[in-house]
Amino acid sequence: MEKNCAIVGINWGDEGKGRMVDLFTEDYDIVVRYQGGGNAGHTVINDKGKFALHLLPSGIFRDKVVNILGNGVALDPENLWAEICDVREKGVSITPENLKISDRASLLLPWHRQMDELEEQRLADKKYGSTKQGIAPFYSDKYQKKTVLAGELFYPEKMKEQLMGLLEWKNLILKGVYGAKPVSETYIDEWVKNYCEKIKPFICDTGEFLKNASENGKKILFEAQLGSLRDLDYGIYPYTTSSNTIAAYAPIGSGFPGAKIDRILGVVKAYSTCVGEGPFVSEMFGDEAEALRAAGNEYGAKTGRPRRVGAMDLIATAYGIEVQSATEVALTKLDVLSGMEQIPVCVAYTLNGKEIYRFPFPTALSDAKPVIQYKKGWMQDISGVRKWEDLPKEARDYVIFIEKAIGCPVKYISVGPERDSIIVKE
Ligand code: GDP
């Protein structure tokens, strides 16, 4: 029987994973975030309102769904607590029953955001385009074993001792390397009291919970942040994030390493967008780009930064599908392309005078140029369409063309941000 599913991004992120998770949760018992932190945002619009989620799993709006923050996430107590308060204020119940935080999740410490900011300042025009949420310093410290686990909150004396050791070390770097102000012991004590203690009731052994739930036939949905091209190992390094965004990491980052994933839904946007720095071969500029950006409301959920926009990049997308091992695709924001007489699609790259069809090594990517083909657009508004056969022929042709090029079936097409603005393509 088909059970577990991962919903992942195929491109640079912001593909609309949150809205797909929100839709899918109707059929799942548990939603797990397995990597990343509060550095990106899912926008979800449903009967409870409009929400910009950063760390909370998108299943938080369904009454019977248990939401888990796995050991692979960057657990920022300060931001998480602010997000819990914010979502609760809008009438959504969040309790230790429907939100569980892995005791093995490492804590993003107060100096991580500071380190991120200082390093981006030092890099100046060579910066990576970090969202400055402390994610890269956090993951570096996690792998250096220089942070603390959420479960250590249950051992306050040992945790204090550990934190003081880390403080001493980090202050050497803050002062010595960056000439910055050191962090004080009082600051850390306050941080523990004001944020860590608040999230403590949610912390438990989520691995045991997941294993038992799975044995009892419960269905798990794994929710990723960002997309294939930002994966630390498989993305456009170093313009990646500092964690693994691909579905293969979901069992590890969730706390249930033995989890089997039966379906991998790859979310692909009907055109391309990219937040931050790095090569973006099919990027569009000028009025054409501005019109697409405005039509798609392409401004970062966390930062408000205008997103770079471009033609659907079939080379990057096919690669994204491959590294995710996607079994099916949700093509989002097709409605945004309505009214374009001709829709540009990047069907190949040229590199060193040759046409190539395989996504190249990251260093070569900055020399690649797009080969653009134009597809016939449709003039009518499609946001009210709910059936495949009711889409204009040009829209169906566009979807079928993409489907063939990426070699993965498109099962869902979204034509608006609302929960029901979806077409299921058989
Ligand atoms: P995520 O991080 O992958 O969940 O993506 P984001 O939430 O950052 O970006 C997706 C944005 O597109 C959100 O503002 C959604 O509300 C919106 N959205 C999702 N699907 C559609 C769609 O089919 N049409 C339109 N117009 N907007 C959509």
Side-chain angles (χ1 to χ4, degrees):
M1 194 191 72
E2 173 195 284
K3 265 177 63 186
N4 303 331
C5 173
I7 298 191
V8 295
I10 295 299
N11 304 107
W12 284 263
D14 305 317
E15 298 93 346
K17 295 174 293 297
R19 62 111 59 226
M20 291 310 299
V21 176
D22 180 59
L23 181 74
F24 267 50
T25 44
E26 194 172 359
D27 296 323
Y28 286 82
D29 305 294
I30 300 164
V31 179
V32 193
R33 269 283 307 269
Y34 60 88
Q35 48 75 227
N39 52 330
H42 293 310
T43 308
V44 177
I45 303 175
N46 55 32
D47 49 355
K48 298 200 164 128
K50 179 174 177 178
F51 301 86
L53 296 182
H54 300 295
L55 197 53
L56 285 174
S58 306
I60 203 72
F61 307 109
R62 300 270 189 187
D63 295 337
K64 292 199 182 85
V65 170
V66 176
N67 295 272
I68 292 186
L69 291 171
N71 51 282
V73 304
L75 194 76
D76 179 342
E78 188 173 343
N79 275 353
L80 177 62
W81 181 241
E83 193 175 332
I84 291 174
C85 294
D86 185 49
V87 173
R88 272 180 174 166
E89 240 168 58
K90 291 181 181 157
V92 178
S93 158
I94 304 181
T95 67
E97 292 307 306
N98 73 346
L99 176 68
K100 299 186 188 294
I101 300 173
S102 168
D103 54 0
R104 287 182 169 270
S106 303
L107 297 187
L108 188 139
L109 302 170
W111 47 75
H112 288 138
R113 248 189 300 273
Q114 203 181 342
M115 292 288 294
D116 212 349
E117 181 101 41
L118 289 166
E119 182 56 11
E120 286 282 286
Q121 270 170 21
R122 190 190 70 79
L123 285 166
D125 60 344
K126 294 198 185 69
K127 65 185 192 303
Y128 292 117
S130 160
T131 51
K132 304 198 187 97
Q133 295 299 308
I135 305 300
F138 161 81
Y139 277 108
S140 324
D141 282 0
K142 172 175 170 170
Y143 284 91
Q144 285 196 76
K145 300 158 294 184
K146 286 192 185 290
T147 175
V148 291
L149 301 179
E152 291 185 54
L153 276 161
F154 297 108
Y155 306 88
E157 276 169 26
K158 285 197 179 134
M159 177 162 157
K160 167 93 190 190
E161 199 183 311
Q162 167 84 343
L163 277 172
M164 288 308 107
L166 293 174
L167 179 82
E168 191 187 333
W169 167 71
K170 197 53 89 172
N171 277 341
L172 288 174
I173 300 170
L174 285 171
K175 287 190 288 186
V177 176
Y178 294 102
K181 226 175 115 212
V183 177
S184 69
E185 181 177 339
T186 329
Y187 189 87
I188 296 299
D189 290 342
E190 289 290 303
W191 172 79
V192 171
K193 190 170 110 220
N194 294 337
Y195 307 114
C196 299
E197 289 297 331
K198 298 287 191 340
I199 61 162
K200 197 170 159 185
F202 301 94
I203 299 170
C204 62
D205 182 350
T206 55
E208 188 187 21
F209 176 85
L210 282 169
K211 187 173 158 286
N212 289 341
S214 182
E215 280 167 9
N216 288 317
K218 303 282 186 211
K219 290 167 75 178
I220 308 168
L221 190 64
F222 298 94
E223 175 179 20
Q225 180 218 30
L226 296 166
S228 310
L229 307 175
R230 296 288 193 216
D231 182 272
L232 178 62
D233 288 82
Y234 295 94
I236 308 170
Y237 190 87
Y239 299 102
T240 59
T241 192
S242 302
S243 63
N244 290 104
T245 61
I246 60 168
Y249 187 73
I252 297 175
S254 67
F256 185 22
K260 301 254 177 318
I261 304 180
D262 310 279
R263 284 176 86 178
I264 300 176
L265 177 72
V267 187
V268 176
K269 205 182 274 189
Y271 49 96
S272 301
T273 61
C274 163
V275 177
E277 313 293 320
F280 180 19
V281 178
S282 71
E283 185 163 12
M284 285 160 39
F285 301 93
D287 292 348
E288 203 189 8
E290 194 40 60
L292 185 56
R293 183 176 300 119
N297 191 25
E298 296 298 350
Y299 304 91
K302 179 82 190 178
T303 57
R305 289 191 286 187
R307 293 178 184 146
R308 298 159 72 192
V309 297
M312 154 68 83
D313 184 335
L314 294 176
I315 304 305
T317 304
Y319 174 76
I321 296 273
E322 181 187 316
V323 297
Q324 292 284 11
S325 297
T327 57
E328 59 205 270
V329 159
L331 187 70
T332 58
K333 300 190 106 169
L334 191 65
D335 55 305
V336 172
L337 299 179
S338 301
M340 283 172 86
E341 268 174 30
Q342 290 204 308
I343 304 171
V345 184
C346 174
V347 293
Y349 295 163
T350 46
L351 188 63
N352 305 325
K354 267 205 271 178
E355 215 160 86
I356 59 162
Y357 298 92
R358 171 134 187 101
F359 196 65
F361 185 75
T363 320
L365 200 55
S366 43
D367 293 326
K369 300 277 175 289
V371 176
I372 300 288
Q373 240 182 48
Y374 286 88
K375 297 283 149 198
K376 197 163 184 301
W378 55 93
M379 290 302 121
Q380 55 273 62
D381 175 11
I382 58 167
S383 57
V385 175
R386 296 291 175 268
K387 286 201 196 115
W388 169 247
E389 54 276 17
D390 293 343
L391 277 174
K393 180 177 179 309
E394 295 81 5
R396 277 181 281 140
D397 287 348
Y398 184 72
V399 175
I400 290 167
F401 178 76
I402 291 169
E403 190 172 54
K404 281 202 180 127
I406 61 178
C408 189
V410 173
K411 279 223 183 139
Y412 302 89
I413 298 156
S414 82
V415 290
E418 304 80 15
R419 195 180 264 177
D420 71 336
S421 306
I422 200 96
I423 298 168
V424 183
K425 178 172 163 292
E426 298 305 334

